[in-house]
Amino acid sequence: MSQMLAEIRQQPAALAKTLTSELRSTEKLKKYLATRRPKFIVLAARGTSDNAAQFGRYLLEIATGIPVSLAAPSIYTLYKAPPSFEGSLVIAISQSGESTDTNLVLERARAQGAFTIGITNEADSSLAKLAEHVFLVRAGREKSVAATKTYTGQLLALYLIAYALGAQVSLDDLRLVPDWTAEALTVEEAIRARAERYRFMDHALVVGRGLNYSNAFEFALKMMETCYVVAERFSSADLMHGPIAMVTHSFPAFLFAPPGVTWPSTRELVEKLHGLGAETLVITDRSNKEAKEVSRAVVLPMSLARKSAIPVELFTPIPYIVPAQLFAAHLASIKGLNPDEPRTLSKVTKTM
Amino acid sequence: MSQMLAEIRQQPAALAKTLTSELRSTEKLKKYLATRRPKFIVLAARGTSDNAAQFGRYLLEIATGIPVSLAAPSIYTLYKAPPSFEGSLVIAISQSGESTDTNLVLERARAQGAFTIGITNEADSSLAKLAEHVFLVRAGREKSVAATKTYTGQLLALYLIAYALGAQVSLDDLRLVPDWTAEALTVEEAIRARAERYRFMDHALVVGRGLNYSNAFEFALKMMETCYVVAERFSSADLMHGPIAMVTHSFPAFLFAPPGVTWPSTRELVEKLHGLGAETLVITDRSNKEAKEVSRAVVLPMSLARKSAIPVELFTPIPYIVPAQLFAAHLASIKGLNPDEPRTLSKVTKTM
């Protein structure tokens, strides 16, 4: 079995451990932030961590009402023109904690009086030393080059930050996420069988919206890294503004399809794609009954109906990425590739 | 001749007209903003206009030091959770001025006390009525579905906004841009001949960084819209963090290669891509002598050396997109497609 597959399966335990271990310091952070509400929030990251940051961008803005921006590291590293970050909260996300450019963003921001948080897997990393508050993703060492358990761990840390900022993120609901993730793993054999169909796929389209927009980036990245598929990723709205012209007969499309406010536009897009002759596969759960009626579907066993989170799909991004990770890992094997050793890549990438 | 090609050629005159016509109101705006410096800036747009916004994100942050964010319209339209925009500057960009979702962002922001600017081609549009200050892109009616002259006009407006915010954007330098754009058009025949080589290209990679990052998005979008090429777009740094694994022998790659701080990492990437057997084509100008030594190159006749803008590539994005637009228009014709009528698309796209 590949390391990637083993690490995908470690996620429920890793998430439960991270949640339990980080709760106390989250409450401390909450007290600290209660009297120091940031004027805006900046997220800095690269690669998979940048996809987690993209999730944070939606979660934190929706849940806290504080404007959020994704940092453009080259503005610090190449142009040496850091903007003014007084009164802001700057969050850097890095699996290794040794990403030179995102660490530089954090350092510059802290020097300007921003409050800084680091999210990393490594307690002894440069990032853990630089940041004023550290969330440790307690996923254990990630050996596969393709990140999986650190991505979901980073998403979990972002929920805790939203909670610490006073958002309506229920810890009771959050405690269900490791279980939902375990339930998501039960679809593995169905996913493996389905992946056979895609043996000769060389390009693809992945669509997500709102809270699951980052999952579209992450699914596409896993397919690029481990299956060498040229995978495009868009929100349904951005796709309609031009790129949809490239979609033709037999184009493979993957869509995240939670229930809630993003579903009507996702359903509309599924129908449009079918009209163009594309073949869709949606990732959804039992509480979105329409999804499996309009498209081939991976249906997760969890059901959101029993919970009352607002928005209803608030806690879908972690369980929903699991079938995507499984799909990429199995498709790589089906294509005769080793998902643990993508050509050209190494685990720690340093860029400036 | 296609409308798209005709409109590409209208750009020098359109830019000169927009610049002359908007100068007086820019000076007025500058006086107004002198005493009301925004705490942060938010840009809202879709499609090609969103690529212009991506440019604005880099330009305004680098040149003014004010933090900049790209709005996620679904947070307003679907989640109905607009963040707090007091004391900010919100800029909406739309060719037609009738983009429902970006107009909603502007409306909500204005209601919260943000100062609002609209950039549009249409003086009588909803956006022109909603915004407190309007920049009119005086490019004439854009008939081609694939936007070209409105994109460069939007970039010009963003330079004027940077100037109005007190940035070191010299109007004397800016006045050279229409001439540089005219010079860029002289490479058309060389581009057309070169495009023949790509007759059977069905996927591609476009790379840009910093101020030319948005051009990578825009070049890829033109190829998706008019040539149906599955075109990926990345910064050189993001490409290294995973997606480069998909690059294999004969992968076509296009890179924006201005002189200045982004060139060393771009050159490094060109060499890496060659090592993987990919074929590169760089867009550069006479002042970057190294570029044409390391790669096949489109060399624009302009030379930045005579000017002293900081950063040196500050005014490259408008002339540099011209060969990309020409390439897409000619490649579409070579592929037997009509670039004015991309399948599936219409000129005004409304999404929520």
Side-chain angles (χ1 to χ4, degrees), chain A residues 288-350:
Chain A
N288 185 355
K289 300 209 188 309
E290 270 187 7
K292 62 175 181 291
E293 285 165 20
V294 300
S295 172
R296 290 163 190 262
V298 173
V299 183
L300 300 185
M302 61 196 255
S303 183
L304 300 174
R306 63 186 170 181
K307 303 305 305 173
S308 54
I310 297 171
V312 66
E313 81 275 29
L314 184 63
F315 295 105
T316 56
I318 291 178
Y320 272 46
I321 198 61
V322 174
Q325 296 168 333
L326 290 169
F327 183 92
H330 282 291
L331 182 59
S333 298
I334 290 165
K335 282 176 171 281
L337 304 168
N338 179 353
D340 294 335
E341 291 179 5
R343 62 186 177 202
T344 327
L345 298 181
S346 56
K347 185 67 185 165
V348 180
T349 309
K350 295 192 179 191

Side-chain angles (χ1 to χ4, degrees), chain A residues 23 25 28 33 42 60 90 119 121 186 243 251 258 276 284 303 324 336:
Chain A
L23 265 185
S25 78
K28 233 171 100 181
L33 289 172
V42 178
L60 296 173
V90 177
I119 301 176
N121 210 31
T186 64
F251 208 105
L276 298 169
T284 187
S303 183

Side-chain angles (χ1 to χ4, degrees), chain B residues 15 113-114 135 163-164 232 255 270 285 307 324:
Chain B
L15 289 163
F135 281 92
Y163 170 79
E232 295 276 2
L255 301 95
V270 165
D285 71 72
K307 302 305 304 173

Side-chain angles (χ1 to χ4, degrees), chain A residues 36-114:
Chain A
R36 295 171 185 83
R37 189 172 171 81
K39 283 184 268 183
F40 58 94
I41 300 170
V42 178
L43 294 151
R46 288 279 190 201
T48 286
S49 304
D50 196 34
N51 296 341
Q54 185 67 262
F55 165 74
R57 187 250 184 284
Y58 280 82
L59 174 72
L60 296 173
E61 199 159 279
I62 291 170
T64 72
I66 302 169
V68 182
S69 168
L70 295 171
S74 70
I75 292 177
Y76 304 74
T77 57
L78 302 182
Y79 294 104
K80 313 218 183 291
S84 164
F85 276 149
E86 204 199 319
S88 71
L89 164 61
V90 177
I91 305 167
I93 312 175
S94 166
Q95 180 273 134
S96 68
E98 301 300 343
S99 191
T100 338
D101 43 9
T102 53
N103 283 347
L104 189 71
V105 173
L106 200 84
E107 205 180 337
R108 293 281 181 279
R110 187 170 175 177
Q112 284 181 38

